[in-house]
Amino acid sequence: MSKIALVTGVTSGFGLAITKTLINNGYLVIGTGRRLPKLNELKQQFQEKFIPLNFDIQNLPETQQAFNSIPQEYQNIDLLVNNAGLALGLEVANKANLDDWQNMVDTNIKGLMFMTRLVLPNMVERNTGHIINIGSIAGTYPYPGGNVYGATKAFVKQFSLNLRADLAGKNIRVSNVEPGLCGETDFSLVRFKGDEQKAQNLYENVNYIKPEDIANIVLWLNQQPSHVNINSIEIMPTAQTFSALNVSKKNN
């Protein structure tokens, strides 16, 4: 019988690549997203191998209702991939938009919490399962304008570790995937509020990570033997590395 995976945010980027990779490797995928036409395209492409759930992950009642609508035969979820997330703006904290901050917290933190809390009890009852959270190197390395986005990904990192602590003695794995610069997604287009030129400039002449690279890592993590848990994995393109610490000098 196919493994059952629930992947959030499947209509573009990492989520779309993860969905395709898992299905192509024999999984059945329950995919969530807000864009119904995109979900319908996936359903048409993959037929019985894909179950769409159309809702806003920021909304707990909607999330609960969608989760409860999963057919009984597909409720034993083997793999949860908490992928849905976004970055908005690059303004410094004193100039940032509060709505952007709230949106990132509601999606990157609350949405991930909601889905984890809904899926986890069944995993614990069956004493099997794997939760893979899509974090970011922004949760480890600060940068100007990363304020709340980086903080939400730091939450994902610590929440993943605390889940491992809560699940001591259980045969349930938790992994945090932390990508660096990744192109061919809507990530920067969303961050820059649809400014295509700004988004393109970020990736120009850079051999960046692609969504398929992250999808392959998600598959590899889940295909490790059940006694092997990869707590976290940090991925950067070879072209990306660390900057020097900023030092502000006094004016003479």
Side-chain angles (χ1 to χ4, degrees):
M1 184 176 176
S2 299
K3 276 190 175 182
I4 298 173
L6 195 159
V7 182
T8 65
V10 302
T11 56
S12 66
F14 292 161
L16 180 58
I18 290 166
T19 295
K20 290 180 176 180
T21 298
L22 291 177
I23 290 175
N24 289 336
N25 282 274
Y27 291 66
L28 180 141
V29 173
I30 303 165
T32 85
R34 291 183 297 176
R35 292 181 281 186
L36 184 58
K38 293 286 188 181
L39 290 174
N40 288 339
E41 286 178 19
L42 284 170
K43 180 64 176 176
Q44 186 173 6
Q45 181 178 357
F46 292 112
Q47 299 295 318
E48 73 281 355
K49 297 176 183 177
F50 180 77
I51 298 172
L53 293 180
N54 179 221
F55 66 96
D56 184 350
I57 203 167
Q58 296 185 7
N59 186 308
L60 179 55
E62 272 191 31
T63 302
Q64 289 174 315
Q65 184 177 5
F67 182 77
N68 292 335
S69 74
I70 297 172
Q72 184 68 37
E73 62 269 30
Y74 303 125
Q75 288 184 2
N76 287 341
I77 293 164
D78 301 293
L79 169 63
L80 168 63
V81 183
N82 280 314
N83 164 73
L86 76 167
L88 292 169
L90 258 182
E91 296 82 8
V92 292
N94 57 299
K95 296 180 180 179
N97 184 309
L98 277 174
D99 288 338
D100 287 348
W101 278 9
Q102 183 168 306
N103 199 344
M104 286 186 281
V105 169
D106 287 347
T107 303
N108 302 357
I109 294 179
K110 291 184 179 178
L112 183 145
M113 289 191 316
F114 295 161
M115 192 55 67
T116 300
R117 181 60 181 82
L118 289 171
V119 171
L120 190 55
N122 181 267
M123 288 185 174
V124 170
E125 183 179 343
R126 295 183 296 122
N127 195 31
T128 185
H130 193 179
I131 296 172
I132 298 179
N133 295 323
I134 305 298
S136 169
I137 64 167
T140 302
Y141 308 105
Y143 59 89
N147 38 68
V148 167
Y149 174 70
T152 64
K153 293 304 184 178
F155 170 89
V156 174
K157 175 195 286 284
Q158 194 61 31
F159 184 60
S160 300
L161 292 173
N162 281 319
L163 279 175
R164 288 275 292 133
D166 283 346
L167 294 166
K170 301 288 192 300
N171 191 36
I172 298 170
R173 299 181 289 169
V174 183
S175 305
N176 185 31
V177 177
E178 304 171 17
L181 185 67
C182 185
E184 299 180 19
T185 74
D186 291 340
F187 178 85
S188 291
L189 195 62
V190 171
R191 164 164 259 176
F192 296 124
K193 314 290 177 66
D195 189 326
E196 292 187 11
Q197 190 58 55
K198 269 190 178 181
Q200 288 173 5
N201 290 344
L202 187 61
Y203 304 107
E204 191 174 7
N205 298 323
V206 177
N207 193 11
Y208 45 72
I209 291 170
K210 298 180 180 180
E212 291 74 21
D213 299 324
I214 301 304
N216 289 334
I217 288 168
V218 166
L219 177 67
W220 175 78
L221 288 170
N222 186 243
Q223 289 188 335
Q224 295 310 296
S226 62
H227 69 279
V228 174
N229 188 90
I230 310 297
N231 294 331
S232 63
I233 183 166
E234 184 181 286
I235 311 104
M236 291 183 183
T238 308
Q240 184 178 36
T241 186
F242 313 100
S243 297
L245 293 174
N246 183 61
V247 177
S248 298
K249 297 188 176 181
K250 296 179 182 178
N251 294 323
N252 292 328

